Every structure is written in C-alpha cells, then in structure tokens.
Amino acid sequence: MSRQFFCAVLSLVFCLSPSIFAADYFVDSQTGNDSADGKTPQTAWRSLKKVNRADIKPGDKVLFKSGGQWRGQLLPKSGAEGKPVVYSAYGEGNKPSLLGSVPLNNESDWQPIGKNIWATKESKMILGNEIPKFKKLTWGHHNEEGAKIKLSRKNENDETTYTINCSASGTRTNHIQFIVHGFEVEEDKYYVLRFAAKSTIPFSGFTIRLSEPGMPWGGLGATLKQPAGIEAEWKNYEVLFQCSRPHENARMTFSLGGVLPQNSELSLRFIGLYEARADTNGINTDVGNIILNGSKAGFKRWTLDDLKQQDDFWYDMETARVFFYSEKNPALLYQSIEAALHHHVISHNNCNYVIFDGLDVRYGAAHGFGGTKANNCVYRNLDISWIGGADQYKQGGEGRRVRFGNGIEFWSDASDNLVENCNLWEIYDAALTNQGSGVNVQKNIIYRNNKIWNSEYSFEYWNRGPESKTENILFENNVCTNAGYGWGHIQRRDKNGRHVMIYSNTAQTKDIVIRNNVFDTATESLVRIDIDFKGGLSFYNNKYRQFSGGDCFYYLIKKKYKADQFEEYKNETGLDKGSVIETF
C-alpha cells in the first residue's frame, strides 16, 4: 500500500471535518412544515422534496429527526474542501429512515382480479393543454457500439412520419436512441405523449425517458406508463410522465438498442405532448421487490401466467400495476407491504465533499447509494437493507433481463471516498462495490469496519476499458457473513454467492488490498477472482470460515480450492499471507 494512499486517507478525513460556520436544517416527518425556515427543531421542514429543492450551501447540515420516515429519493448537494455538506440525524430513537418504496398496506390498495390474483389500481389521466412547441420539433438519432440505423422523414398534409431502418441493433438499449429536445417541462406536473407507430417486425422492451439534454443526462422524472411493445399495424400509444425537476430544454429519448429487431422498419407519427392530471398510487416504475413485514420478499415473476403461489408478483410495465398472488387480500395477511421502486434511494451522482452519517436506507429496487462521479464523500454509521431486484433494462420479460441492486455503488470516476461502520444486509447484488466502464478513474476508496450479511456479494470489483485506471482500493476489518443466503439468491438465475467477487477487468489496476477481514460462509465460494492482476491485488491476514466440503476459492475461472487446499491456493496465487481458514 502506497504512502500516497495513506496521505489521501488523512486528507479525506481532514477535508471532511464539518465546518462550524454553516447553517443546520432540521427535517421532521411528523410535525414539520415545508413553509417554515427549517433552522430549528421547532421550525423543521417536513418532506424530502423540500430537502431536495433547498439551497444547501457548503458547510451546511441537513438533520433528519430520529424515528422519522421519508419516502422517495434523496438528491444530495455538494460541499467544498473543508466545508462538507452533512446529511445526518438529530434527537433520540431509531435512525431516520429513507425508503425507496410505496406502501400497499390497506385493503383498498388491492383489487381482486380472480383466481387468487390481486392488483393495484391503474393510473388514470385526464388530458389538459397541448405543449404547442413539441410537435414542431425535429427528432434525431444516435447509435453506437456497432448498432446501425438509417433515419428518414416524410412530410404529408402537415404531418411528419419518421422511419427507422435497423441493420444492426446493438446489445444495450442506449446503443440506438431516437431523440428530441427543446421543450419545457415544469416541476410536479404530469405529461402525456401520444404517438402512432408500427414495425415490420413487432418488438417490445424499449424505454421512453425524460432527461436533461446533456451530460450527465440526469432524469427529469419517472415514466409511469409506457407501451409494452410496438405491433405490425398502425396503432396509437400513450406514455405518462411524472416530472420531478423543471427544465427549459428537456430531452425525450426512445432507447431502442438491443430490442429493435435487425432488418426491421419502425415508423412513428407524433400526435402531441399534453399536460395531464393523474390519479396514481405512486408506483411510477418497475417494482423490483415487495418486502412483507420487513422480513420476507415476494417472488418477482415475468408474466401474469407465472403467478402460481402465495407472494408471487408481477409488474406490468404497460399499466404500471402490480399483480400479486394471494389466497386473500394481501393487506389482510401482512401488516407491512413495501413495493420497492426502480430508483436509487440516495443518488450520489456528481456529489463532492458530502458526509452521510447515521441514516437508515432501505427498500429501493436499484441501489441504496448509486451514481457516477462521487468524490471526497464519507458514508458512516449507515444501515442499508432490502436493496435491489429491479429489471435493469426494463425489458419486462426474459429477453435481456438483468436484475440488479447494490448497497453502495461507486460507478466510474470515483475517488477519495470512505465507507465505515455501516451495516448492510439483504442486498440483491453487492453490499459494497466500485465498478465502471468506458474511460474512468477509481482511486483512494476505503471500506472498513463494516458488517455485511445475507448479500449475494460482500465486496465486488471490476473496471473495464484499457484506458481506465483503478488504484488504492482498501477493504479492511470488515465482518462478512452468509454470502448468497439473502432473498435475492433464491430468485436469481445466476446464483453466485461470494464474499469477494473480482470479475474480469481490463483497467490499469494496482494496489487493491483486502486485509484483516472475516469472511464467514458462502453458498458458492468465499472468494472468486477471474483475472490475474499481476501484483495489483493482495489479500492478507484474513479469517475464512466455510462449511465442510464447500468451495472456498475460485481462481481464474478454472480451479476451485477446498479448505484443505488452502496452502496450495496460497502458494499458487501468492495471496493470503498470514490468513487462516476453518470449517464447520
């Protein structure tokens, strides 16, 4: 471990010491008032929306009342060197809870469909004023990674028909994008897009999204309802958006890569974009998990016909409804029903100099903390649980379906971050991870003194792109138990329970150190390493424990080692000097 790395650690701790010359803002979910100034417990704000909108300055603190509960997504503000923004707690009681879920606890939340199937209500909308500028805008396209399309336009009777001829679809939805921007959207409003379309080869699984017009392409809200697929004959379609952030130059994107069939011809005509009033239950995106009584997961299925036993559920992308198999109204069986939504509970995208301390983060179907370019941040004394399970590409079926969700993920371009004294459990993928693709740098990230259990992976790393760099990653003094024993493992097609998961890696990598940890019991193996880092990876002084006969180490996708082969593993890999292993 380099001297520079330890200097970076000291710099991180020093730079993130809270400033005494700053404002404290209090948030009380029970008695707060968003019209108040938030500067005392007696004049506390109430909602997460108010926190996200507030003009938080470097050095300020946002303090959530202990025992309180907030739903939605926290969008932190950045601090500055020596003046971090702090998100923490005040008062006595349980850690304040930030939930990425919608409650479905009332009998009225569920409607009987028949044959033991119950469904949430369908969102209803009433069209309002048309956005006049929208229909006059010209749509364009973007394709990458080998995807190839040709876009043409034809105007007849003041109506434009767009035709997309696809010769190669790519593999990811972003590889083909059909795009327009230059229209205004307002905060807290609903919008309905109406269009007609047909495809010579019917297809499904595409997404339609509102976002910023440029990097980092941040979302401006949720797509509540969108077509499940495009058919062979002309048909009218509607898409319902809920806008959470205003923008004068919004962008709308049809993401078609990997789903628009090769040698197909897609034709579209746009009827208009309208303001709308909507009656919705808050389910505005894929439901990746349903947590029952805080201790049990529903089983996510992929079609209505798959619902065959108690607690099976299916999210219908076209109607934004959840269908649930139950012998009677689910609200009569469970005191608590939480539908986890496809959002990060806390988006640390582009966050710099932020401290998160003493919060309870749970019930999100994407990541607990997710986003790119998180730098100089501290994550301390957090409880993070029941995270993940969303359909990553929103395919709605088998196809390219990938479920995902990490506790804390640093995605690309992350540096000088510290994660310590946190508890993480029931995570679909990795409790802690730094990973990325493209050209990026990940460096000076420390994970220490955390407790992790019932997650598919305790720690996962990979970074791709030969121009990318990873250096000075430290995972130490963590206690990790029961990898692969969580709710997600039961439902995964790709069962892969490991405490340390090192995937294939093409980045320039050095000084990944895993030391002084406890790794106790895993379904597949304690450690899996898929690549020879040629000295860039070191393990030492770890304590391993595995059930008798179980695999302990899986190295370079070709050899498995049992506990009685530990010395052979150490000699052949050069790893784990000073480490010990036991079986039970």
Side-chain angles (χ1 to χ4, degrees):
M1 184 64 63
S2 68
R3 182 177 183 275
Q4 289 82 359
F5 184 38
F6 286 110
C7 290
V9 175
L10 294 175
S11 175
L12 175 67
V13 174
F14 177 77
C15 291
L16 294 184
S17 300
S19 171
I20 61 174
F21 304 106
D24 291 350
Y25 294 99
F26 299 85
V27 195
D28 186 333
S29 63
Q30 296 298 315
T31 63
N33 184 343
D34 285 347
S35 297
D37 63 17
K39 293 184 177 180
T40 70
Q42 294 72 34
T43 59
W45 296 330
R46 186 182 186 94
S47 72
L48 204 57
K49 184 177 291 185
K50 176 65 176 181
V51 172
N52 290 338
R53 292 173 175 171
D55 185 20
I56 305 299
K57 303 290 188 183
D60 289 349
K61 293 181 182 179
V62 178
L63 304 174
F64 297 93
K65 187 174 182 180
S66 295
Q69 188 178 94
W70 292 263
R71 295 182 184 276
Q73 184 182 62
L74 176 64
L75 302 173
K77 302 294 196 305
S78 288
E81 186 172 353
K83 295 181 179 181
V85 170
V86 177
Y87 292 87
S88 190
Y90 76 98
E92 300 295 326
N94 295 330
K95 293 176 181 177
S97 294
L98 304 182
L99 312 181
S101 58
V102 169
L104 300 171
N105 301 325
N106 299 318
E107 290 184 58
S108 59
D109 291 328
W110 299 97
Q111 302 171 355
I113 302 300
K115 297 183 179 179
N116 291 334
I117 304 296
W118 301 78
T120 56
K121 67 180 182 180
E122 188 171 2
S123 297
K124 297 179 180 179
M125 52 191 170
I126 301 172
L127 292 184
N129 297 326
E130 183 179 359
I131 309 299
K133 185 179 179 180
F134 181 84
K135 195 173 179 182
K136 298 178 182 179
L137 298 172
T138 300
W139 288 72
H141 75 283
H142 169 80
N143 53 280
E144 60 182 69
E145 297 295 331
K148 295 180 181 179
I149 64 170
K150 180 180 179 181
L151 175 65
S152 59
R153 297 189 300 271
K154 184 177 181 180
N155 295 301
E156 287 184 347
N157 300 322
D158 200 30
E159 185 173 63
T160 301
T161 299
Y162 293 88
T163 301
I164 300 173
N165 289 280
C166 176
S167 55
S169 185
T171 57
R172 292 193 173 190
T173 54
N174 65 299
H175 291 171
I176 298 176
Q177 300 175 40
F178 184 49
I179 308 161
V180 73
H181 66 86
F183 58 97
E184 184 176 0
V185 292
E186 299 179 45
E187 189 173 21
D188 292 336
K189 282 196 173 182
Y190 293 90
Y191 295 91
V192 173
L193 171 68
R194 301 184 70 188
F195 68 97
K198 67 175 182 177
S199 177
T200 55
I201 305 176
F203 68 95
S204 62
F206 65 99
T207 60
I208 306 172
R209 180 173 180 259
L210 281 177
S211 71
E212 299 171 345
M215 291 289 289
W217 319 108
L220 298 179
T223 307
L224 275 64
K225 180 179 178 181
Q226 61 184 353
I230 302 297
E231 299 178 7
E233 302 297 328
W234 281 109
K235 180 180 176 181
N236 289 344
Y237 298 93
E238 289 187 336
V239 184
L240 176 61
F241 303 99
Q242 182 181 14
C243 185
S244 58
R245 291 198 292 139
H247 208 288
E248 295 180 353
N249 185 25
R251 164 177 162 141
M252 185 180 294
T253 304
F254 284 60
S255 296
L256 301 165
V259 294
L260 184 62
Q262 185 176 0
N263 300 322
S264 67
E265 181 178 282
L266 169 64
S267 299
L268 304 103
R269 296 173 185 155
F270 291 94
I271 301 168
L273 180 67
Y274 302 84
E275 293 182 356
R277 289 189 294 111
D279 177 16
T280 175
N281 57 11
I283 296 175
N284 55 22
T285 187
D286 179 43
V287 173
N289 190 11
I290 292 181
I291 302 95
L292 305 165
N293 290 345
S295 61
K296 180 182 180 183
F299 203 117
K300 186 176 177 69
R301 305 294 187 179
W302 302 100
T303 71
L304 184 61
D305 292 338
D306 292 334
L307 306 185
K308 297 179 180 179
Q309 59 186 8
Q310 184 65 45
D311 304 333
D312 284 354
F313 76 92
W314 168 59
Y315 173 75
D316 181 9
M317 183 170 59
E318 186 168 9
T319 63
R321 302 177 80 187
V322 172
F323 292 79
F324 192 93
Y325 187 101
S326 182
E327 295 181 0
K328 58 182 177 180
N329 190 309
L332 296 175
L333 290 177
Y334 300 104
Q335 293 181 334
S336 170
I337 303 174
E338 297 285 346
L341 302 182
H342 185 157
H343 301 300
H344 309 322
V345 184
I346 298 178
S347 174
H348 58 193
N349 204 53
N350 290 307
C351 278
N352 296 282
Y353 297 101
V354 183
I355 297 175
F356 304 96
D357 191 355
L359 305 175
D360 173 38
V361 177
R362 63 178 65 202
Y363 303 156
H367 304 315
F369 288 78
T372 188
K373 298 182 179 179
N375 301 290
N376 298 287
C377 294
V378 171
Y379 307 76
R380 179 182 291 137
N381 303 320
L382 304 171
D383 289 345
I384 303 173
S385 64
W386 295 97
I387 296 296
D391 185 356
Q392 185 166 14
Y393 302 113
K394 299 182 180 179
Q395 296 295 310
E398 286 294 331
R400 290 173 52 255
R401 168 169 54 84
V402 176
R403 295 178 75 183
F404 77 117
N406 301 314
I408 298 176
E409 179 189 274
F410 299 112
W411 174 260
S412 297
D413 286 326
S415 66
D416 300 292
N417 296 317
L418 172 64
V419 181
E420 65 178 359
N421 300 322
C422 296
N423 299 309
L424 303 100
W425 70 99
E426 296 294 351
I427 312 296
Y428 183 84
D429 276 330
L432 302 172
T433 180
N434 54 281
Q435 54 186 253
S437 64
V439 180
N440 72 91
V441 176
Q442 302 173 30
K443 64 179 182 179
N444 301 340
I445 301 174
I446 304 171
Y447 309 93
R448 68 185 183 200
N449 301 326
N450 303 290
K451 294 182 179 179
I452 300 166
W453 65 97
N454 286 21
S455 301
E456 193 70 3
Y457 317 126
S458 296
F459 173 65
E460 176 188 8
Y461 164 74
W462 56 269
N463 196 7
R464 293 173 189 152
E467 297 181 12
S468 295
K469 296 181 180 180
T470 303
E471 59 185 44
N472 294 334
I473 309 299
L474 177 61
F475 190 86
E476 69 172 352
N477 298 329
N478 303 287
V479 177
C480 308
T481 58
N482 293 340
Y485 285 84
W487 68 272
H489 186 82
I490 298 170
Q491 301 184 31
R492 299 176 72 102
R493 294 182 303 172
D494 56 337
K495 299 182 187 301
N496 202 11
R498 327 269 180 172
H499 282 300
V500 179
M501 180 69 245
I502 309 290
Y503 276 118
S504 60
N505 177 79
T506 57
Q508 302 170 48
T509 304
K510 64 179 181 180
D511 291 332
I512 296 181
V513 176
I514 298 173
R515 67 186 183 195
N516 302 324
N517 303 285
V518 173
F519 297 119
D520 186 346
T521 314
T523 54
E524 268 61 47
S525 67
L526 297 169
V527 173
R528 173 175 167 175
I529 303 170
D530 284 2
I531 187 170
D532 184 356
F533 283 81
K534 301 186 186 306
L537 175 68
S538 63
F539 285 66
Y540 58 92
N541 293 346
N542 298 297
K543 295 181 179 179
Y544 296 103
R545 187 171 183 264
Q546 180 67 307
F547 56 87
S548 181
D551 291 328
C552 296
F553 305 96
Y554 185 43
Y555 191 66
L556 301 187
I557 325 180
K558 62 183 179 180
K559 188 162 185 179
K560 297 179 181 179
Y561 298 85
K562 306 288 186 182
D564 60 3
Q565 297 171 300
F566 190 41
E567 291 303 318
E568 179 184 351
Y569 166 76
K570 290 195 290 185
N571 291 333
E572 291 187 1
T573 65
L575 301 175
D576 269 313
K577 181 179 180 180
S579 297
V580 296
I581 194 167
E582 66 177 64
T583 59
F584 60 94

